[in-house]
């Protein structure tokens, strides 16, 4: 698997442009437009602040009996009109601020939902052999917390683009008022950038990478400890498992500390730098402008600007640092979506089988990613209502064959004819939803009547049991059916397949957890259901219920053995 993970330095040299491109590339066109508009509204807010500072300057100038040097048609001439203009600007500022903040929150949540869906859909469409190579808890982490962090990083992108533009805007205004001040502001910004670029960036990127990889391991360790809790309690080795969690949690904590602390250093330096700058302004203004009349209005102008520019510069210093951590999340989402697309499975176009048949396989070959050939030139035909048993030693490829028929994975070569919409599959390990018995049977299917559900439950010898439960069909089964016995879980899985009323049932040791009596009962019911069944079973007397048995050996199916022959063979 090619992991696109640019190594620290060389990737970072091309970094900034490609980062922005990658970040934008992850957004659908509509959200790109929303991002641009959000940046515009944030810049608009800064522009409002600038106008507000100007308006206040005029109000105070007029109050002191002064006049503006240059008159334009739009400059207020009276204190009243200047005050009204100020009020209008304050109101506009409030509306833009509240509106754009609410929009930003919605934008982030939509992005999060989008990433979450694209990832889960992408994983679901990935080639099976690629999908199983991934760790489930890591996929869970990427789709939830990483996706959320990545979505939030767009807020930082917006704030940093808008913030930088507004600081530039203010700097231009200051050049107009006082070039020296603008130069000092420029110098402070430059110093902060140098501090970020040379002292922080690499450290932050390393801490972010460390945090993400530790979080992945941590999530895996917690999931495994909870999943294997029965064994953990039996072997009384909580110390080992909790030790693993403790060590990884410590690594997450230390990288989180670095990620939080470094940008704060930049923030504190920025804040204090700007305080010094404004102290300088007051002195400079006093020295330059002498008479107190001008001074008051100028101070108001600077006060309004500083109220905005001061937190903005410190926020920018903080945001640039945090972006470094956020970039790691974006890169993960980008990588995962990229993999989902590259390894997307392409379902084969299936032909319809000849009349009277539900499955026809000719010359089928299949191998996993590592190249080991599992099936070679395999052929098989199953008639409607026929029951075929598949045998073979462990690892001979029985489950792989059923996966191919079910459409879980796809063959390298060969022809397969079947109606995939009419296939149900009970895999070796059934997964139950932490939900009601009803929803486990329906499993996303449109509603079925209680009578239909109870018919299927009765076929797997669960009818009376479920009817006797106080909650009946609404009884919850617990996390992966933990509240049920192994055999009950398996029978629920079988009933789930039966509810679908298909023409071909694929059963992979689907009765392995049942006692003899239950297994015979279930198989007898299945045999009377007029449904074709392709099943893997280790039962020696399984052939009693089957029309023929076929053996899988060296990737091919050997000649079928009819039921009566098998009977004779097993009696020998
Ligand atoms: N995802 C995978 N990637 C690579 N190899 C795999 C994968 N899944 C299974 N295999 C290999 O394919 C071979 C066939 O596996 P399969 O699960 O089909 O065997 P099986 O006949 O069902 O065995 P069992 O009776 O033990 O269930 C095995 O050698 C196994 O190691
Ligand atoms: Mg198997």
């Amino acid at each position: 698997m090619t992991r696109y993970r640019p190594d620290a330095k060389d990737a970072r040299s091309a970094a900034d442009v490609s980062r922005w491109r990658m970040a934008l590339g992850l957004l659908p066109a509509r959200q790109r437009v929303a991002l641009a508009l959000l940046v515009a509204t944030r810049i608009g807010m800064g522009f409002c602040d600038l106008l507000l500072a100007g308006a206040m300057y005029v109000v105070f100038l007029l109050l002191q009996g002064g006049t503006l040097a240059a008159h334009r048609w739009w400059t207020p001439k009276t204190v009243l009109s200047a005050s009204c203009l100020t009020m209008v600007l304050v109101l506009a500022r409030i509306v833009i601020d509240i509106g754009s903040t609410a929009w930003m929150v919605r934008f982030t949540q939509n992005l999060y939902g989008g990433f979450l869906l694209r990832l889960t859909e992408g994983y679901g469409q990935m080639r099976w052999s690629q999908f199983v190579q991934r760790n489930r808890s890591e996929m869970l982490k990427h789709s939830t917390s990483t996706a959320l962090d990545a979505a939030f990083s767009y807020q930082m992108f917006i704030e940093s683009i808008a913030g930088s533009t507004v600081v530039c805007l203010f700097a231009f205004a200051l050049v107009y008022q006082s070039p020296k001040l603008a130069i000092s502001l420029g110098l402070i910004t430059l110093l902060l950038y140098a501090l970020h670029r040379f002292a922080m960036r690499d450290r932050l990127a390393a801490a972010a990478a460390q945090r993400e990889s530790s979080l992945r391991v941590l999530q895996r360790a917690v999931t495994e400890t909870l999943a294997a809790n029965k064994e953990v309690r039996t072997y009384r080795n909580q110390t080992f498992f909790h030790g693993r969690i403790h060590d990884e949690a410590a690594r997450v904590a230390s990288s989180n500390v670095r990620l939080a602390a470094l940008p704060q250093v930049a923030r504190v330096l920025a804040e204090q730098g700007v305080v010094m700058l404004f102290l300088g302004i007051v002195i400079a203004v006093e020295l330059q402008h002498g008479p107190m009349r001008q001074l008051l209005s100028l101070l108001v102008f600077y006060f309004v600007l500083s109220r905005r520019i001061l937190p903005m510069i410190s926020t920018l210093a903080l945001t640039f640092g945090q972006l470094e951590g956020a970039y790691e999340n974006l890169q993960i989402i980008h990588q995962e979506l990229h993999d989902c697309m590259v390894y997307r499975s392409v379902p084969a176009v299936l032909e319809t089988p000849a009349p009277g048949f539900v499955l026809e396989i000719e010359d089928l070959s299949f191998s996993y990613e590592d190249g080991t050939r599992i099936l070679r030139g395999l052929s098989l035909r199953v008639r409607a209502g026929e029951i075929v048993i598949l045998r073979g030693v462990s690892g001979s490829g029985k489950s792989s064959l059923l996966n191919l028929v079910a459409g879980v994975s796809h063959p390298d070569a060969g022809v397969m004819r079947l109606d995939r919409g009419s296939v149900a599959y009970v895999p070796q390990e059934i997964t139950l939803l932490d939900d009601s018995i009803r929803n486990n049977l329906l499993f996303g299917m449109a509603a079925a009547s209680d009578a239909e559900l109870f018919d299927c439950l009765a076929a797997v010898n669960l009818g009376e049991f479920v009817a006797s439960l106080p909650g009946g069909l609404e009884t919850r089964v617990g996390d992966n059916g933990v509240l049920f016995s192994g055999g009950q879980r398996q029978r629920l899985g079988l009933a789930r397949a039966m509810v679908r009323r298909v023409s071909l049932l694929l059963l992979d040791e689907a009765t392995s957890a049942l006692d003899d009596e239950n297994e015979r009962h279930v198989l007898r019911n299945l045999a009377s259901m007029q449904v074709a069944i392709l099943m893997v079973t280790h039962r020696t007397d399984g052939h009693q219920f089957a029309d023929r048995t076929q053996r899988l050996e060296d990737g091919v199916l050997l000649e079928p053995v009819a039921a009566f022959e098998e009977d004779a063979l097993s009696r020998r």
Side-chain angles (χ1 to χ4, degrees):
M1 206 182 345
T2 45
R3 273 202 93 79
Y4 150 64
R5 183 157 285 280
D7 260 335
K9 290 248 159 107
D10 34 314
R12 216 161 289 138
S13 53
D16 291 331
V17 179
S18 63
R19 281 180 192 198
W20 293 103
R21 202 178 295 155
M22 183 197 74
L24 285 178
L26 275 175
L27 299 182
R30 252 186 67 207
Q31 274 161 330
R32 261 183 246 176
V33 175
L35 182 124
L37 290 175
L38 274 167
V39 170
T41 53
R42 297 314 255 193
I43 295 174
M45 254 163 64
F47 196 64
C48 251
D49 283 323
L50 186 61
L51 291 180
L52 201 61
M56 298 278 269
Y57 170 78
V58 176
V59 171
F60 278 83
L61 197 70
L62 294 173
L63 272 175
Q64 291 166 91
T67 47
L68 281 170
H71 276 290
R72 300 270 190 284
W73 62 267
W74 43 265
T75 47
K77 317 277 180 306
T78 62
V79 174
L80 184 67
S81 59
S83 306
C84 287
L85 181 67
T86 312
M87 287 293 288
V88 169
L89 285 169
V90 168
L91 283 176
R93 174 72 169 69
I94 291 173
V95 170
I96 299 177
D97 200 348
I98 293 176
S100 79
T101 307
W103 189 11
M104 182 101 90
V105 174
R106 241 178 297 132
F107 170 77
T108 314
Q109 291 306 318
N110 284 344
L111 267 187
Y112 166 54
F115 284 153
L116 178 63
L117 257 169
R118 279 159 72 189
L119 280 171
T120 43
E121 277 175 11
Y123 289 138
Q125 289 164 356
M126 214 176 207
R127 287 211 296 271
W128 184 249
S129 50
Q130 280 293 332
F131 176 80
V132 291
Q133 278 181 29
R134 279 156 196 272
N135 186 285
R136 268 188 241 177
S137 60
E138 280 186 18
M139 289 192 279
L140 173 72
K141 183 191 171 299
H142 293 330
S143 322
T144 52
S145 64
T146 312
L148 185 63
D149 290 343
F152 267 104
S153 62
Y154 284 90
Q155 277 195 13
M156 293 179 215
F157 275 105
I158 293 169
E159 295 296 3
S160 58
I161 305 172
S164 316
T165 315
V166 171
V167 167
C168 287
L169 195 71
F170 286 1
F172 282 125
L174 288 175
V175 169
Y176 184 71
Q177 270 294 335
S178 149
K180 279 186 208 138
L181 185 61
I183 291 169
S184 326
L185 193 68
L187 278 178
I188 287 189
T189 316
L190 215 66
L191 271 173
L192 279 172
Y193 180 73
L195 177 78
H196 167 77
R197 175 73 183 79
F198 299 107
M200 289 191 186
R201 208 157 101 164
D202 289 350
R203 286 194 182 86
L204 282 167
Q210 164 76 54
R211 184 189 61 172
E212 281 312 306
S213 92
S214 295
L215 271 176
R216 271 204 291 272
V217 181
L218 182 64
Q219 182 133 0
R220 231 153 81 176
V222 174
T223 314
E224 284 164 4
T225 309
L226 295 178
N229 219 259
K230 201 182 265 182
E231 289 92 328
V232 173
R233 286 168 192 238
T234 309
Y235 301 127
R236 277 180 275 161
N237 55 2
Q238 281 94 339
T239 331
F240 167 74
F241 282 93
H242 293 166
R244 260 187 359 160
I245 293 172
H246 175 270
D247 293 349
E248 221 47 61
R251 254 173 241 132
V252 172
S254 94
S255 41
N256 269 341
V257 166
R258 267 177 293 155
L259 276 172
L262 282 172
Q264 295 293 347
V265 174
R267 180 189 59 79
V268 170
L269 287 177
E271 272 174 14
Q272 299 319 307
V274 179
V275 167
M276 296 298 289
L277 180 70
F278 278 92
L279 188 68
I281 298 172
V282 177
I283 296 167
V285 167
E286 171 117 24
L287 291 179
Q288 270 183 15
H289 297 277
M292 285 301 285
R293 289 160 68 87
Q294 271 267 333
L295 184 62
L296 188 59
S297 40
L298 268 176
L299 278 181
V300 168
F301 176 76
Y302 287 126
F303 170 75
V304 176
L305 267 199
S306 66
R307 196 186 54 81
R308 185 82 173 109
I309 204 166
L310 200 139
M312 189 163 268
I313 291 182
S314 64
T315 308
L316 266 184
L318 190 67
T319 310
F320 273 119
Q322 288 170 337
L323 261 177
E324 219 56 54
Y327 173 63
E328 183 67 23
N329 294 314
L330 280 178
Q331 209 177 15
I332 290 173
I333 299 294
H334 183 251
Q335 173 67 47
E336 292 297 298
L337 289 174
H338 168 87
D339 282 1
C340 288
M341 201 172 62
V342 171
Y343 301 122
R344 204 183 152 98
S345 71
V346 187
V349 182
L350 293 171
E351 297 169 38
T352 6
F357 286 89
V358 287
L359 172 68
E360 288 180 301
I361 295 176
E362 279 169 29
D363 234 359
L364 187 95
S365 298
F366 175 71
S367 35
Y368 283 105
E369 298 289 302
D370 61 4
T372 323
R373 186 54 64 94
I374 306 293
L375 305 173
R376 310 177 281 120
L378 180 145
S379 296
L380 171 71
R381 298 181 93 195
V382 179
R383 288 175 193 283
E386 192 179 22
I387 300 185
V388 180
I389 287 183
L390 205 59
R391 287 202 199 279
V393 293
S394 173
S396 56
K398 304 181 294 295
S399 300
S400 306
L401 175 58
L402 294 192
N403 278 344
L404 290 171
V405 178
V408 174
S409 45
H410 304 292
D412 304 335
V415 179
M416 201 157 25
R417 297 191 198 94
L418 80 151
D419 172 9
R420 194 149 278 148
S422 194
V423 174
Y425 184 19
V426 186
Q428 237 167 328
E429 275 146 34
I430 187 83
T431 304
L432 293 183
L433 312 175
D434 187 356
D435 204 331
S436 63
I437 294 177
R438 180 193 300 280
N439 286 339
N440 266 290
L441 294 178
L442 292 175
F443 204 65
M445 205 174 84
S449 70
D450 284 11
E452 279 175 274
L453 297 182
F454 270 108
D455 270 358
C456 297
L457 286 170
V460 295
N461 223 7
L462 270 184
E464 283 176 25
F465 170 73
V466 174
S468 73
L469 293 169
L473 284 169
E474 310 311 324
T475 311
R476 294 186 74 94
V477 304
D479 188 5
N480 203 18
V482 71
L483 303 177
F484 280 28
S485 79
Q488 286 169 337
R489 277 202 285 273
Q490 209 172 35
R491 280 181 285 157
L492 272 181
L494 270 162
R496 176 192 288 170
M498 290 179 185
V499 169
R500 284 165 162 73
R501 307 275 174 217
V502 292
S503 59
L504 175 62
L505 257 181
L506 306 170
L507 309 181
D508 197 349
E509 297 182 36
T511 51
S512 60
L514 305 191
D515 58 279
D516 276 3
E517 195 189 317
N518 260 312
E519 190 173 22
R520 232 174 282 123
H521 176 94
V522 169
L523 290 177
R524 209 177 304 119
N525 282 335
L526 282 171
S528 66
M529 273 177 60
Q530 299 302 311
V531 55
I533 301 176
L534 180 59
M535 67 179 195
V536 177
T537 173
H538 291 303
R539 264 199 91 84
T540 45
D541 63 347
H543 56 274
Q544 287 176 6
F545 309 97
D547 296 301
R548 66 187 150 100
T549 298
Q550 289 209 242
R551 238 191 125 67
L552 187 58
E553 226 175 89
D554 293 331
V556 289
L557 279 173
L558 302 183
E559 277 307 299
V561 183
F564 67 90
E565 291 174 53
E566 169 106 352
D567 210 8
L569 282 173
S570 64
R571 250 183 272 126
R572 254 194 266 160

